[in-house]
Amino acid sequence: MPTAVSLFTGCGGSDAGLIAAGFDVLMANDVIPYARDTYLANHPETDYRLGDVQKIETFPQADLLVGCYPCQGFSQGGARQADRRINYLYLDFVRALRQIQPRAFIVENVSGMRSSTYKHLLNDQIEQFRASGEHGYNVKWSLLSADEYGVPQERKRILIVGIRSDIGLEYEFPSPTHGPRGTQPFRTIENALAGLPEWPLGEFCEDPFHWYYLSRNRRRDWHETSKTIVSHMRHMPLHPISPSLRRIHTDSWVFETAERARRFSYREAARLQGFSDNFVFPDTPNSSLAMRYRVVGNAVPPPLFQAVAGNLPNIWD
Ligand SMILES: C[S@@+](CC[C@H](N)C(=O)[O-])C[C@H]1O[C@@H](n2cnc3c(N)ncnc32)[C@H](O)[C@@H]1O
């Protein structure tokens, strides 16, 4: 079984995909205690190091290195400042790449990295990856839409994949499996939430819907894919059981009727991210509702990562 080291691991959305694609994750890392608790409840055999990646001096040898560095700096939702320290955590990924020199690596990041403000950071990452280690890497990148890989959600992400140059192969991104470019229809909210209770009390955020929340349409219907699942529970999209929203001004929407509305629960959000029902979100001293939402919303959809990792050529012998 090929081995992997995972950085910026969170609760392990990316790693659930890796494991499904046949990898053994030796080491993982994140700063969020509940991400560690969740990961270990699902994969107790991994050496999960809780703490700042910058403090890790040595990484184990592995065939594959994966990392999904944080996106606050680049994302639409976060403060967009190109010079924020958090935008340079990729340098720790580069440090690990140089040290381990794995046969291949995979990086995931938000689509905002292609914008003119951040393009220099994307270009710098690719340059650094190409020149890393004794041999360097053949690097490819692409913008993938998670719904085209069986995830019932609108979520576009940049994936960067490199194969060590001495192996002499180039990576090909997987073809879409769902939607007009694939062979199966898009998965819908209805498919994803089948069998779940309508009002799972205690599992959804009941904070009021402030003006900011109602500054855009947050609702999709049962037969559609979900809007993007985010990590802040107050910003979670509406469950389709909620009344429709109607636009009354440029940035102002109101509910059409007075019936009760609610956001997706964290468990529904996990289904919409493509986590399987076997994936456990344990009760621990760190398991507040906000934390459950946070680790789910931060995750890379497992089916998307599985498709990307599963399309690596067989370079492991
Ligand atoms: C996009 S999320 C990764 C999601 C994860 N790959 C998954 O699929 O579940 C980025 C992660 O980087 C972590 N992070 C931020 N700064 C860090 C640091 N200095 N050291 C280690 N992890 C950090 C965040 O806590 C967050 O979980």
Side-chain angles (χ1 to χ4, degrees):
M1 199 183 243
T3 55
V5 164
S6 161
L7 301 180
F8 310 98
T9 309
C11 72
S14 43
D15 294 23
L18 267 189
I19 292 164
F23 289 84
D24 178 15
V25 186
L26 303 178
M27 192 214 107
N29 164 249
D30 206 284
V31 287
I32 301 178
Y34 187 62
R36 184 264 327 259
D37 299 350
T38 305
Y39 194 100
L40 290 179
N42 291 282
H43 313 296
E45 62 296 336
T46 300
D47 171 18
Y48 197 109
R49 304 195 197 162
L50 182 67
D52 189 341
V53 66
Q54 295 169 83
K55 305 253 163 64
I56 301 179
E57 285 177 8
T58 53
F59 301 90
Q61 278 305 304
D63 298 314
L64 177 72
L65 175 66
V66 306
C68 317
Y69 9 95
C71 53
Q72 281 91 334
F74 310 116
S75 72
Q76 300 281 336
R80 293 212 239 167
Q81 294 168 33
D83 58 351
R84 286 178 70 195
R85 170 74 191 89
I86 202 158
N87 290 333
Y88 288 92
L89 282 171
Y90 71 83
L91 295 175
D92 287 285
F93 185 88
V94 170
R95 182 168 62 84
L97 190 62
R98 291 201 177 122
Q99 203 185 94
I100 304 171
Q101 301 193 40
R103 289 163 186 261
F105 72 83
I106 308 176
V107 160
E108 182 257 19
N109 216 302
V110 291
S111 56
M113 217 160 59
R114 291 169 315 150
S115 71
S116 53
T117 321
Y118 296 113
K119 196 69 198 275
H120 68 287
L121 290 175
L122 176 60
N123 291 341
D124 186 50
Q125 287 170 53
I126 291 169
E127 291 290 300
Q128 299 234 22
F129 297 153
R130 288 205 165 117
S132 282
E134 192 187 335
H135 303 285
Y137 286 82
N138 286 333
V139 182
K140 293 270 191 79
W141 72 273
S142 185
L143 183 72
L144 300 187
S145 195
D147 54 5
E148 293 197 311
Y149 299 89
V151 179
Q153 183 196 157
E154 182 183 306
R155 191 179 188 98
K156 288 199 169 70
R157 290 292 184 267
I158 289 179
L159 274 297
I160 310 173
V161 182
I163 298 182
R164 216 173 55 208
S165 297
D166 59 311
I167 295 171
L169 292 174
E170 299 258 336
Y171 180 75
E172 298 275 348
F173 282 94
S175 304
T177 50
H178 290 67
R181 302 200 302 151
T183 54
Q184 300 170 61
F186 284 133
R187 291 195 62 223
T188 64
I189 299 176
E190 189 169 31
N191 299 146
L193 304 192
L196 291 182
E198 287 189 350
W199 294 95
L201 287 181
E203 294 192 357
F204 60 90
C205 168
E206 296 195 67
D207 290 0
F209 301 116
H210 282 309
W211 68 267
Y212 178 75
Y213 191 81
L214 295 173
S215 65
R216 63 186 87 150
N217 190 0
R218 306 277 183 173
R219 184 181 176 281
R220 288 264 173 89
D221 253 315
W222 287 105
H223 64 275
E224 296 180 284
T225 51
S226 166
K227 284 174 169 284
T228 306
I229 297 300
V230 294
S231 62
H232 195 303
M233 67 178 184
R234 284 189 154 196
H235 300 161
M236 185 57 59
L238 289 169
H239 189 288
I241 205 169
S242 313
S244 305
L245 284 165
R246 179 166 50 87
R247 190 180 207 158
I248 52 166
H249 291 298
T250 320
D251 293 324
S252 185
W253 296 69
V254 290
F255 287 106
E256 299 254 38
T257 68
E259 283 156 79
R260 206 172 157 201
R262 73 165 177 91
R263 300 167 175 89
F264 286 121
S265 71
Y266 79 85
R267 213 177 283 279
E268 291 160 349
R271 286 240 188 134
L272 294 166
Q273 284 273 56
F275 279 96
S276 83
D277 266 355
N278 302 332
F279 197 89
V280 178
F281 293 94
D283 295 331
T284 76
N286 304 308
S287 57
S288 64
L289 185 60
M291 269 302 154
R292 290 172 193 262
Y293 271 114
R294 183 162 165 200
V295 298
V296 169
N298 270 343
V300 181
L304 177 63
F305 216 75
Q306 180 180 350
V308 173
N311 224 43
L312 280 162
N314 189 356
I315 51 175
W316 317 115
D317 300 331

